[in-house]
């Protein structure tokens, strides 16, 4: 158990809809990262938050947004969903410094299926 | 920008045989290098990381990796694999300033009895 909690584990929705994925980092971790894993794209970095502020941005679509709340949990919002958004979405957290050499602890992921 | 290439998408191997999973990276700046493992239906776990110093890095579960700067490689090795090593392995790189961890496409290691 990594200590990172993601909910829900599975999500099935229709095209055009909006969903919210939730992540609770390990106790004490200030950094939260979101990744998308799909068969064709592999594991893609989406975005990182550190103590409530956006720290780094990757290949995140404009239809997607994220935030980190004062209690350090994070939400990834996906809107106007398309079939191609079907993927496994991982959240990861790291220690207090948010430095690039820190170990990431990954949650078990949310499997999103867009039908 | 950094990129990572894992040269083999699938590696089948028999139990107790040695294995090498290959990883090459490109970057214009100094980097940190990582190997993560993903067991079926689970998130990723860190196997090992190279930050600086000795180019041979030992990780968990008997894995090791060697950083080769001239060949920009970070291959993962294990002298004798077990059935339980069956998983997907990801090589990753982050630059020492940027904060993003960039992953390779993954290598599926399948250990057969």
């Amino acid at each position: 158990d990594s200590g990172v909690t993601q909910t829900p584990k599975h999500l099935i929705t229709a095209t055009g809809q909006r969903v919210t994925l939730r992540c609770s980092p390990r106790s004490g971790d200030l950094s939260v990262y979101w990744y998308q894993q799909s068969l064709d794209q592999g594991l893609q970095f989406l975005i990182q938050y550190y103590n409530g502020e956006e720290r780094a941005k990757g290949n995140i679509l404009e239809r997607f947004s994220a935030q980190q709340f004062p209690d350090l949990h994070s939400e990834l919002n996906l809107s106007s969903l398309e079939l191609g958004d079907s993927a496994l979405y991982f959240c990861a957290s790291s220690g207090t410094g948010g430095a690039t050499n820190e170990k990431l602890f990954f949650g078990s992921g949310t499997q999103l299926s867009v039908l | 920008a950094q990129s990572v290439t894992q040269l083999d998408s699938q590696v089948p191997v028999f139990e107790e045989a040695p294995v090498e999973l290959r990883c090459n990276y490109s970057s214009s700046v100094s980097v940190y290098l990582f190997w993560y493992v993903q067991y079926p239906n689970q998130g990723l776990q860190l196997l090992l990381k190279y930050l600086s110093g000795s180019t041979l890095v030992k990780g968990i579960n008997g894995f090791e990796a060697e950083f080769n700067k001239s060949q920009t490689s970070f291959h993962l090795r294990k002298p004798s694999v077990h059935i339980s090593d069956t998983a997907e392995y990801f090589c990753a790189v982050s630059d020492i300033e940027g904060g993003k961890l960039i992953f390779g496409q993954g290598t599926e290691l399948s250990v057969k009895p």
Side-chain angles (χ1 to χ4, degrees), chain A residues 100-102, chain B residues 31-34 49-53 57 96:
Chain A
T100 63
N101 60 348
E102 289 183 335
Chain B
V31 297
Y32 301 129
L33 294 157
F34 306 79
K49 63 182 178 182
Y50 171 78
L51 304 180
S52 64
V57 180
I96 62 174

Side-chain angles (χ1 to χ4, degrees), chain B residues 2 8 21-22 24 27 30 38-39 43 50-51 61 64-65 88 90 94 96 99-102 105 112:
Chain B
Q2 296 79 44
D8 307 293
L21 307 184
R22 297 180 294 166
N24 285 94
S27 176
S30 296
Q38 183 180 21
Y39 297 104
Y50 171 78
L51 304 180
N61 300 340
E64 63 181 31
E88 185 128 23
F90 291 91
S94 72
I96 62 174
K100 294 186 294 186
L101 195 59
I102 306 299
Q105 290 288 96
K112 304 176 188 307

Side-chain angles (χ1 to χ4, degrees), chain A residues 33 35 37 39-45 48 55-58 88 90 100-108, chain B residues 32 34 36 38 41-46 49 51 88 90 94-105:
Chain A
Y33 306 75
Y35 285 86
Q37 185 179 24
L39 285 174
D40 55 344
Q41 297 288 329
L43 199 57
Q44 298 277 316
F45 169 72
Q48 178 203 356
R55 171 65 66 94
K57 212 166 187 175
L88 188 56
F90 282 110
T100 63
N101 60 348
E102 289 183 335
K103 176 179 177 178
L104 298 190
F105 292 85
F106 282 79
S108 297
Chain B
Y32 301 129
F34 306 79
Y36 280 82
Q38 183 180 21
N41 302 312
Q42 295 185 29
L44 283 79
Q45 300 174 35
L46 181 67
K49 63 182 178 182
L51 304 180
E88 185 128 23
F90 291 91
S94 72
D95 71 68
I96 62 174
E97 299 168 6
K100 294 186 294 186
L101 195 59
I102 306 299
F103 285 87
Q105 290 288 96

Side-chain angles (χ1 to χ4, degrees), chain A residues 25-56:
Chain A
R26 286 191 324 152
S27 177
D29 283 359
L30 297 180
S31 276
V32 169
Y33 306 75
W34 286 99
Y35 285 86
Q36 179 194 58
Q37 185 179 24
S38 61
L39 285 174
D40 55 344
Q41 297 288 329
L43 199 57
Q44 298 277 316
F45 169 72
L46 295 178
I47 197 164
Q48 178 203 356
Y49 278 83
Y50 174 69
N51 202 20
E53 301 288 327
E54 184 183 301
R55 171 65 66 94

